[in-house]
Amino acid sequence: MEWKRLRRKFAKNPLNLISVVVFALFLAMAFFPQIFTQFEPNRMNSAVRMISPTASHIFGTDQFGRDIYSRVVHGVRETLSIAFLSIVLACVLGTALGVISGFYGRWIDQIVMRLMDAMFAFPTIILALFIIALYGASQKNLIIALGIVYTPIFTRTVRGSTISIKQFLYIKAAKALGKRDLSIMLKDVLPNLTSVLIVSFTTNFSTAVLSEASLSFLGLGVPPPTPTLGGMVGQGSNFLLSAPWIALFPGLFIALIVLSINIIGDGLRDVLDPRY
Amino acid sequence: MIATYIFGRVLSAVPTILILTFIVFLAIHLVPGDYIDIMLGTQNYLTDEQLSGLYKQYGLDKPFVVQYGIWLKNLITFNFGTSLRTGQKVSAMILEKLPVTFELAFFALFFSLVFGIPLGITSAVKRNRFGDYVVRVLGLIGLSAPTFWIGAILIVAVSGLFQDYTLFGFVSFQKDMAKNLQILLIPSLTLGLMLAAQIMRMARSSMLDVLSQEYVKVAKAKGVSTWKVIYRHALKNAMIPVITTAGIQFGYLMGGTILIENMFALPGLGRLLLQSVNQRDYPVIQGVVLFTGVFIVLMNILVDILYTLIDPRIDLR
């Protein structure tokens, strides 16, 4: 009943529906890139180096004769999986810290929040870059770095909501009945955070895609030859004047992925957040 | 009263800055290997005795807390150590690169306000009409498109349209003002457009808030023309949160500059940071990262203080 109503409200805006379709297409690319491409993403072919878009290579080829379109499709997987997993990590860590901080208050709250304040003082990309610089660029380290960087955002949001949920009568009742703290946090507080978390998840997912792309652009993403969207723009930047397609198409894909997630996020917020 | 407030606000940043330094110190210490390993690289022919001598020289034989204490003491005197590659003082390197980054960030902020504020206000005034939709879609695109992609498009466009426009080859402001501004125009425009999207959204929602206030309605009811109401009554109040956002964003622009500086080959702090990352020059990485963090904390304090001075509604107690 409730979900049906929300779904109808979400579907009212055609832009939301288009974005869902576009995003689903990107998901399909991430899971089954072979369906969308006819070339191996890493196959070099010296006969077709740096040719502009044609019928067989619709996005053109790069300096090694690799098909840009195939590389872009395969790059979507890397970008989406890293961004998604890092936000899952941030969401889990941030929710745990936020609920504990908001539920217990006092010195625990002080310690956690001061730590988060300090992390907030770094621009996302600088902090992530710092971690990558120290521990090396790999898929795992990127997920951990971005996960840590995005944790404070979730902690702050969840803490705020937990503090207001704590005032509700049923929480006080549960406490009076002698229910254990952990059980209150998991069974009474957590379910009430669902809509806050959904909105937070989508908005941060889109910025995580941009962060991953930025790190890859700087050469600190998953190392080559694995195709990454940001990395392709970075590499292609050297040929902007002679072969602009090398950089521009991967960038377009990043923009489209982020745009579709942002529109979905805005739509979800309109539906789930009573203030809008 | 204001002095007490300012003092309190500055004091409240001390624990934040302390934790910040601790995070940076800890992160570097958790790295497998240490400075000595990194400095020596693979060519390590030293005897154990020579090694322990080196450890002593760098204080690495002392306990963790003591090392942190010494390091912190050095930080307070602006001693960030020396580069492993060039032997230069890290603080001197930062000060040398800082003007370029500042100039870039300053112009970017300028462009973001010039584009963001008028668009945001128009969008709010024309709410739910065609102009509003256009501006909102533009804003959404601005938030979604990666900065470096916008930069790439601008490079292609500018070099296609104006064949003899010089895009690269930075010269300092003191040396050649005209050339300096010409080189910085496109990079700061790129960075500014990204920020303009945020400023625009902020200006729009802030303006909508103000327009729904009683005093605006009264002014309108008295027959004052729409634009006059906006100019005389709404603008000032609506701009307070926008300027705050802009102030805070100025600090965070340090994140965006690293992308732009590397794309446009500008010798600023971001380029220094990436170079040091590629050369594993840890003292420099650490110095730049710390500098950025502390700068942003101080920037936020400054914005808070200015905010309280501008907005009479804020109670200092």
Side-chain angles (χ1 to χ4, degrees), chain A residues 132-211:
Chain A
I132 299 286
L134 295 177
Y135 300 97
S138 68
Q139 200 187 32
K140 193 184 87 192
N141 286 355
L142 271 169
I143 293 169
I144 295 174
L146 289 174
I148 292 174
V149 169
Y150 280 91
T151 298
I153 303 178
F154 283 91
T155 310
R156 221 176 239 193
T157 318
V158 168
R159 172 184 173 269
S161 303
T162 305
I163 288 174
S164 58
I165 292 169
K166 211 171 73 173
Q167 313 302 327
F168 291 148
L169 205 55
Y170 69 90
I171 301 279
K172 290 185 176 155
K175 265 190 183 167
L177 284 171
K179 214 171 168 184
R180 279 176 38 239
D181 287 352
L182 186 68
S183 146
I184 297 177
M185 283 190 256
L186 288 178
K187 293 197 181 131
D188 301 313
V189 176
L190 205 54
N192 282 297
L193 294 169
T194 320
S195 59
V196 173
L197 284 178
I198 290 176
V199 173
S200 229
F201 193 97
T202 15
T203 27
N204 288 304
F205 183 32
S206 75
T207 47
V209 170
L210 282 178
S211 300

Side-chain angles (χ1 to χ4, degrees), chain A residues 125-126 129 218, chain B residues 254-262 270 273-274:
Chain A
I125 180 163
I126 301 272
L129 173 139
L218 292 174
Chain B
M254 299 294 220
T257 50
I258 186 172
L259 297 167
I260 299 298
E261 283 174 16
N262 283 295
L273 180 58
L274 190 68

Side-chain angles (χ1 to χ4, degrees), chain B residues 53-239:
Chain B
L54 268 177
Y55 271 79
K56 222 174 215 146
Q57 191 189 331
Y58 283 88
L60 290 170
D61 54 336
K62 299 195 176 68
F64 177 78
V65 183
V66 179
Q67 283 189 42
Y68 176 62
I70 295 171
W71 182 73
L72 206 58
K73 206 183 88 198
N74 287 335
L75 282 188
I76 292 168
T77 54
F78 211 62
N79 176 2
F80 289 110
T82 50
S83 160
L84 295 179
R85 303 293 156 193
T86 64
Q88 259 182 298
K89 272 193 172 161
V90 176
S91 51
M93 289 169 91
I94 292 177
L95 286 179
E96 187 200 322
K97 308 288 180 188
L98 197 58
V100 181
T101 304
F102 261 3
E103 204 188 342
L104 177 62
F106 179 79
F107 284 128
L109 192 67
F110 171 77
F111 281 125
S112 72
L113 293 174
V114 164
F115 289 112
I117 291 179
L119 282 176
I121 292 171
T122 317
S123 186
V125 174
K126 306 263 176 213
R127 190 181 186 182
N128 290 335
R129 277 188 270 166
F130 182 71
D132 183 25
Y133 286 118
V134 173
V135 173
R136 277 161 73 187
V137 169
L138 278 179
L140 214 48
I141 293 173
L143 282 184
S144 308
T147 325
F148 50 83
W149 183 59
I150 305 266
I153 293 177
L154 285 177
I155 290 178
V156 173
V158 168
S159 56
L161 291 173
F162 314 99
Q163 246 104 43
D164 39 352
Y165 191 97
T166 325
L167 276 165
F168 303 97
F170 179 81
V171 283
S172 72
F173 189 78
Q174 291 88 338
K175 217 180 220 170
D176 186 345
M177 202 175 96
K179 190 154 185 236
N180 169 278
L181 293 178
Q182 188 195 355
I183 300 269
L184 275 176
L185 176 68
I186 303 299
S188 47
L189 191 64
T190 311
L191 196 57
L193 285 179
M194 176 202 77
L195 189 57
Q198 293 176 33
I199 299 279
M200 192 213 82
R201 278 165 79 111
M202 192 71 210
R204 179 178 182 274
S205 69
S206 169
M207 197 68 192
L208 284 177
D209 269 358
V210 172
L211 287 180
S212 66
Q213 302 280 320
E214 287 300 322
Y215 65 89
V216 172
K217 288 184 187 161
V218 169
K220 269 191 183 166
K222 282 195 325 197
V224 183
S225 77
T226 313
W227 285 107
K228 211 169 181 181
V229 170
I230 292 159
Y231 184 72
R232 281 266 184 81
H233 302 278
L235 199 61
K236 200 184 149 207
N237 289 321
M239 282 311 104

Side-chain angles (χ1 to χ4, degrees), chain A residues 92-106:
Chain A
V92 171
L93 284 177
T95 307
L97 286 172
V99 169
I100 291 171
S101 197
F103 189 81
Y104 287 110
R106 298 199 226 198

